[in-house]
Amino acid sequence: MSLFPTYKRHPVHFVDGEKAVLTDAQGKRYLDFGSGIGVTNLGHKHPRVLEALMEQARAVWHVSNLFEQPLQVKVAEKLCQITGLDAVFFCNSGAEANEALIKLARKWAKDAKIIHEPEIITFTGSFHGRTLATLTATGQEKVKTGFDPLPPGFRTVPYGDMEAVKKATRTTTAAVFLELVQGEGGVRPADPAFVRELADWCKEKEILLMIDEVQTGIGRTGEWFAYQVYGIKPDAISVAKGLGNGYPVGAVVADSRLKPVLGPGTHGTTFGGNPLAMAVCDAVLTEIGQTGLLEQVREKAEYLKKKLDDLVRSLPAVREIRQKGLMVGIELDEPAAPFIRQLLENGLVVLPAGEKVLRLLPPLIVSEEEIGQAVSVLHQTLSQTKIGV
């Protein structure tokens, strides 16, 4: 095979998808509770999104950001209205959005606070991307091995430890970078009291509060963004995954005082915010905004929670279930990989989140019937699968 051996792939080739169901090359159907790692929030082949993409594809695919793009302005205005923030930069992925956040924080600190070597506080268990800066910000050593020397300017403290944040704060601190629900770190929601205290601390110390909403954004937690669930307002957020429902796109959304920081020549992208991506984003935001989907997500999340509570009581292999909206981590007392393989064999796609955690990220349009089917497969598989299968 001519590919780098970067991924340990399952021997399954999906050739079709519709709503919450995938079909492989042999015609076998699977419930998709991975959503391409939290991407296809509106499911596969969503009619509004598909039509928007096809209509734009028949017009123009790409023009550079050296020319006016009214559709970018339209989508940016929607994001600002949804978030209560004021300025948007479009890129191609979550890692790029987080990279832009890091650059934004550093330049703001140099311009506004005259900090020559600004630092950013991050947290253990976090995951922010695979570029050199974002993997350095990530609080997991396994992603950093072999890539040193890593860029300076980051201090990593225990997740949820406010005293550690205070001790790590210096006159050179520019920002705190936080996932409100750690996805790759095991689906671990932050404690609300910690989040409120952190927001107050950042405001008091004039430090930027930057929230990584790459996986939690666009309805995943039952609101547009997780910070709205927690009742805080960050200075800037990163967005990707669900924003394009599978079309590559990312964005930074920031407060008005940060808007002048990225002036002409300070940052850029060739493909970011291209017409195809913007047509898809516009359709996604319109669909969620007009259909009452967020309320449905909250209702489905509650239904899923009740079903999973029964799972905990009946299966000794399950240690804990952590959930925020339709983002679920099932922690086992054994390695998750054999269970994931068997779940796939039994027609259910789920994801890992660390060595012993099953991660469920169903499409937001999943039905209660499909939730019931998925939990039934989980129960059957977790009851019967043994290590080494």
Side-chain angles (χ1 to χ4, degrees), residues 192-238:
F194 162 72
V195 173
R196 288 192 296 269
E197 188 175 359
L198 178 64
D200 290 342
W201 177 256
C202 289
K203 186 174 183 179
E204 176 187 338
K205 298 297 180 180
E206 296 185 335
I207 297 167
L208 298 181
L209 178 57
M210 307 191 305
I211 306 295
D212 181 338
E213 293 269 11
V214 168
Q215 191 166 143
T216 52
I218 314 300
R220 175 59 54 186
T221 61
E223 297 289 349
W224 280 104
F225 294 98
Y227 75 82
Q228 294 166 331
V229 177
Y230 281 86
I232 62 166
K233 186 178 180 182
D235 297 294
I237 64 173
S238 55

Side-chain angles (χ1 to χ4, degrees), residues 7 14-15 20 29 36 56 60 90 133 140 169 181 199 204 228 239 243 259 265 288 295 306 326 337 343-344 358 382:
Y7 306 102
F14 296 120
V15 297
R29 290 161 61 86
Q56 186 61 50
V60 60
F90 289 110
Q140 301 184 51
T169 301
V181 185
E204 176 187 338
Q228 294 166 331
V239 193
L243 181 59
K259 188 174 183 179
I288 295 175
E295 183 178 355
K306 290 177 182 177
L326 288 178
L343 285 164
L344 188 63
L358 304 176
L382 294 177

Side-chain angles (χ1 to χ4, degrees), residues 16-27:
D16 197 11
E18 187 163 358
K19 296 183 179 179
V21 175
L22 286 165
T23 304
D24 71 14
Q26 285 70 48

Side-chain angles (χ1 to χ4, degrees), residues 40-54:
T40 52
N41 283 8
L42 294 180
H44 302 281
K45 280 196 297 201
H46 189 282
R48 186 194 290 264
V49 179
L50 180 60
E51 178 55 34
L53 179 61
M54 296 304 294

